[in-house]
Amino acid sequence: MNCWSETILRNDPTARSHLPQLAMLPLLLAIPFIGAALCAALSFANLSRRTPWIITMVTTVAGLAVLANLTGVLPGPSDVEFFRPWVAEIGLNFSLWLDGPAVFFAWLVLGLGALIFFYAGFYMDPGDSPWRFFGTMLFFMGSMLGVVLSKNALLMFVFWELTSISSFILIGHWHEKEGARRGAVRALVVTAAGGLCLLAGLALLLFKMHDAGIPIASALEWDVLWANRAMISGEFWVMVLLLIGAFTKSAQFPFHFWLPGAMEAPTPVSAFLHAATMVKAGIYLLGRIYPIFSSEVTWLAIVGGAGVLTMLIGGFMAILSHDLKQLLAHSTVSQLGLLTAYYGFGHGQVGTDHLLKMDLLLIGSHAFFKGALFMLVGVIDHATHTRDWTKLGGLIKSMPVTGVLVILGCASMAGLPLTFGFVAKELFLHQALHLETDIPVLKYGLPAIAIVASFFTAAYCYRAAISPFFGKPRDSHIHAHEGGIGLLISPAILILLCVAGMWVPLLEKPFSALINAEFYDTKTGFHLAFFHHVDMLLAVAALIFGAGLVIFFYGRKIERLYAGAGNPAPFRGSFDVGFDKWIPAFAKKTVHIVQSQSLAWNLTLALGVIFGAVIFVLASTDVRPVVTLLSFELKLMMVSVFIMSLICLYVVLTHPVLLYRLIAMSPIGLFVSLTFLVYKAPDLALTQLLVEVVTLVVFLLLLWRLPQRTVRQGTPLPMTVLRGAVAVAVGVSFGLLSLLAYASPWREQSTLPGWPSTHEYYLTNTKYPMGAHSADGGAALAAAAAQNGYPMGEPARSGGGYNAVNVILVDFRGIDTMGEILVLGMAGMGVFLMMTFHRRRPSALSIKQSRDQVARLQGNDDSPILTTNPVIKHPMWAGPSLILAQTTRLLPPAMFVFAAVLYWTGHNEPGGGFIAGLMVSVGIALYFLAFSPKRVSELHTDKYLSLIPAGMAIAIGTGLVAVVLGHPFLTSAFKYIKLGPLGTLGLASPAAFDLGVFLVVVGMAMLIIEKFRKE
Amino acid sequence: MNLILAPVILPLLAAMLAVVLRSNLKAQRVISGLVAIALPILSWVLFDTVRNSGVQVLRVGDWPATLGIVFALDLMGSLFVFFGAITFLATWLFLVGGGAGEDSETNLLHPMMLVLVGAVNWAFSTGDLFNLFVSFEILLIASYVLLIHGNGAGQVREGFKFVVLNFTAGMIFLATAGLAYGLFGTLNMAELGVRIHLANYPPEAVVLGVLFFCVFGMKAAIFPLFAWLPDSYPKAPPGVLAYFSGILTKVGIYSLYRLFSLCFPPAFFGEWFQPTLLVIAGLTMFIGVMGAFSQYSFRRILSFHIISQIGYMIFGLAIYTPLALAFGIFYVVHNMLVKSALLLVSDSVIVNRGTDDLKKVTGLIHVSPGLALIFLAAALSLAGIPPLSGFYGKFGFAWEGFNEGHYLTVFFAVLTGLFTLASMVKIWRYSFWGEKQEGPENGPLSRKGVIFAAGFLTSAALVLAATGGWFMPIMKQAGEELLDRRPYVQAVMGSDAAALLDGPGWQEVAQKP
């Protein structure tokens, strides 16, 4: 311990004065990320290919220096903590600490990192995307540090996922190879699935903690979780979800299959991520949640069971592997199983003096020899260009150093005496034979499987140590040479750590220091020694070594037997098939139901769902439409409209000629127009009528270009019935709803005492209800307002016109109209653009697109409604009608004048800018229908285009004038100007707005008509 | 001066100016750019105002509240306006930076975009139902015109489906707004809420709510009403698509959040409502992501993802707690940024390679490493990988879902997260990894515009993630205000009216002697 690691607790009020120390912990975490960012940024500069390696080494050493500063060189836990709330609402804090396991793992990550990065500098081809490689490695190192330094479980999860991502990138480093891509995706999907379970588990945990009354902000801190473990230890699903997270990460059965596939990565990646550190994250998580859940017997069953099964499967697969790297990968799976089982076996031991506290020793031992062995296999691969032990042999002569190192590493892996691994193995066996349970299946079954699995462990260790190095070379083409010093230093250091069993007593002190005293009785600790006395443990160990030897000799035979049994990798295989075939196929089928290519089906579905829901809701209430409220005249009108609609419908459904069907539809619009008239809205009736006319004209022009007759598609009868039913449902729903609205008892209620209903207000504020004229309505208005106490501000203001509809349109709801004319204008421009595209030379992009499109079109497209018959011209289009032509000479000018009148009087009488605009448009349209195109060709389309923005600008500008004068947008003003004998002229700002409306309507109508004419 | 209409009026006026100057591309770019830069600043100012002094209201035409048209901007609305503006800025950068390829900015593209932006802001700030309909119409027509912009063979065909289905939704919206007026005598949202309360939540209001849910649901592309989206979006021109997918469906979500807090609190619908919503949310997520997973086209995958992400937002509404709505708002905002960033990358692929078929475009990491990095960050954010911005929403939904006991929907949310990641990885695996494609037509994608625009959005998402702790309380407040209703009603109609929400309905009053 040195001066930097003084106690700095976050509760300590003096902590603020120790800013440098406080910053050390986040700095430690930040260093690798800074290095990674540097690599990303500098990759665009033209620097030496060695630079990223140098950056990496410097970064790692810097990290080690900071860590040493914090924990001392002989590591012990530190009280330094860093705390900063991040998103308190979900219990996420940026809180770091350096308790025992954190210190241990931090040293492991940085120390092994330094060795493996050094090795990587010699192993990797400098031209092989070094920036990406080392940058991602550093990113991973930072993420891994984050996992182990986090005091907050959710923060750990944040970094946890980042390790998955960096692992994905690194496995796919040689992504030109299909195997690498596949392995990377498989690894990511499995670990991410586990990550999502972990996320769900943490969410559930947060919920349970919150339920137990723990404040959310600190609920997910490890120490808080441990302190409250009594409350959550029984939460089975929390445990299962967290365990799935741990198991996927640490490649436990049944998620073990991704790890061997991950060996497509470059060797340093395999050594660092998939042997030494990342796959230990799951083990680390087990250690963190061990105090919480291990008192449950389900813990023993699940964790212990998964562990021993993984040991067995991994060991067995390792025996079958020819590729030395695959062998090591499977052995890693098996060893991870051992570590998992070790935690599982710790069931019921919290607070006792059991051996579980030596978990870190096991983890360290595995990290050392496995990291070293991976690197050494990399050396063999470099030297011989193969990793297949069936081709290698007698390498001990050409590669003596490597050979000795591998043999020693395997000895440690097998747990031969005098190695680190021996101590670890003994700890494990001791645990396995002393389970705290009375359930026989667990008490005897788990150790039995563990011991059988250990036979395989011993066997594959022999295999890796003996087969490549002794005997005769099996492939004469291999010319091996010893690896360079740069490649051998790192593994040599690690192997030295492994085999020096004499170290072990020395290790006791630091490892004891790392133990979390809260969970272990440290007074009567287990004393580490490199060799105990002869007892049952030793006997079991001897049995294992013997049985392993037998399996080693019969290895090829087992292989042949297994090969006969069929699928070599059932888990991996079914995952691949599932993910590549079954799920996409299932997805396609499911989606196709909703997402059909047919517009008719989509429309039917949407309307069916919507109005099905409406009818369902209507039927499930006791609300019934009241028909009796309707007056006799209204009923009569409805019946007659209904009958006429039926007639029209008959024509529409049966007539083969499009034109007649179209005309048969137009009465509907006329009915609507009539209804408006009945309800005393002549403006609306007029507008509707004009819109009908314009629409019909446009349709007629369109029909000119379309085939006159349609051929019935072979729609199946059920579909026709369904569509009919949906159409009826839509109509009936709205019919019923209108009746409901008609009878609504709430419409006329006032919200607050004295508030008018909206329509009452509109009518009053247009001076008088429609039809009643008065030269000066202002006084009456004020009187009415005063009488009713309407909240209309002082002094009472009116819309300045008699025509309620117009005043609503341009004043009360002026901004609606502004929007609607914008829609009109945009529609006009849209048509203009479509026609322009139609004629324009297709761009390069669209040619490329259309190539694909054509292919698709030719394939299957069941949507065309119209057949592509050659155009049959109807006799009606034979030529311009003489009568029409003569009339048109006179009619349009009259219409223009009438439009002007409509516009001007609009505020008080039926009319207004919209109607005037439509009138002008109809006039022009008439010209066009009546005369041959030449007559109007002086008109230029593009000029009309500008009418739209001009009109819009006037409308918006009118509103902005009010803003400039200090009123809200679109506030109106009006004034009467006395013109002597000519009477009084009312000038209202809405008139300017209305001018904008007029211009947009004319512009848009002209654009469309002109465009069609040109076609 | 009350500026809440400025984000609406400014783009519209600029659009009109740009139409007039349509022959001068440079002028159009400048006009559009000025708006693109001004809007984020303006909307941040507005957001700040709303944060400090509550809901801002503008009575258009100075007519009394509820009798004229009211614009009201609350925390949720102002956040959406701000992040929408950020997205537009990125789109503009992409377009003028040449990301969409030559010849792409002609033919009124800029004015149409500006109108679209104005309409989006309009929808986010109006307080009147019919006015909302008007903004939807502008949105629809502008997006339709933009969708068929260009000359792609499928554009007109798919655009037709798009416009017909959307127009149908618009018709139903219009009719429903009319119904609302017929039943309750008002179009003002705040007043409608008050009056439905005063009428004691009659069955007619339930029908109204169902209709509105369907209409906005269709706009938001929920299951099973999303048919208009996945085929038409991939046909949209480059750049424009990014803005579409970032913003358009969110307008539907906004309207759902607004109306179903203000006027139709789910509680009065009856027992069936929440389960139905949960099922819809789950299916929207799951079917959407399944659709994505089965595709082999960059843009189609992303288009289907829009749907699955809408499911999460509906989930937030279905849970209906302040925190769930807060996560929903966070998710919407995050989605605007990330989704647009991803689509900008996909746009760039299709512009440069002429196809976005994953099996035909490979090894992009060799030619465009920077863009690959941007894509990866955005894709992982979309998949909800921490500490990127998508994580908060996902964790929040899981947590709040557990809190409220919606285990099954949480399960679907988690499963959807997995497939989201899987389909993002699919894009990465096929198009970014793999052999480098040789040949002059397979050059780098990284025109400056793409890097700037997509990088800008991705870093905005990163900033959002890093400042999550700052935004979260604000969004929580937004959620609380939504559920409380009174702040909004009070701002629009005064405190007397807001007090009515606690009082008895008309019937009870009438029954009193």
Side-chain angles (χ1 to χ4, degrees), chain A residues 228-268:
Chain A
N228 295 289
R229 62 182 187 272
M231 278 186 274
I232 45 176
S233 62
E235 297 295 346
F236 178 71
W237 286 108
V238 176
M239 181 181 89
V240 167
L241 287 169
L242 296 183
L243 284 181
I244 293 176
F247 286 178
T248 49
K249 198 76 168 176
S250 288
Q252 293 301 296
F253 175 83
F255 311 110
H256 59 277
F257 57 88
W258 68 265
L259 188 56
M263 295 304 150
E264 296 285 348
T267 294

Side-chain angles (χ1 to χ4, degrees), chain A residues 2-17:
Chain A
N2 63 13
C3 63
W4 289 107
S5 52
E6 298 173 307
T7 308
I8 305 169
L9 289 171
R10 67 167 187 267
N11 298 332
D12 181 2
T14 60
R16 288 177 199 287
S17 58

Side-chain angles (χ1 to χ4, degrees), chain B residues 145-156:
Chain B
V145 173
L146 283 167
L147 190 65
I148 56 167
H149 219 273
N151 205 14
Q155 276 186 317
V156 173

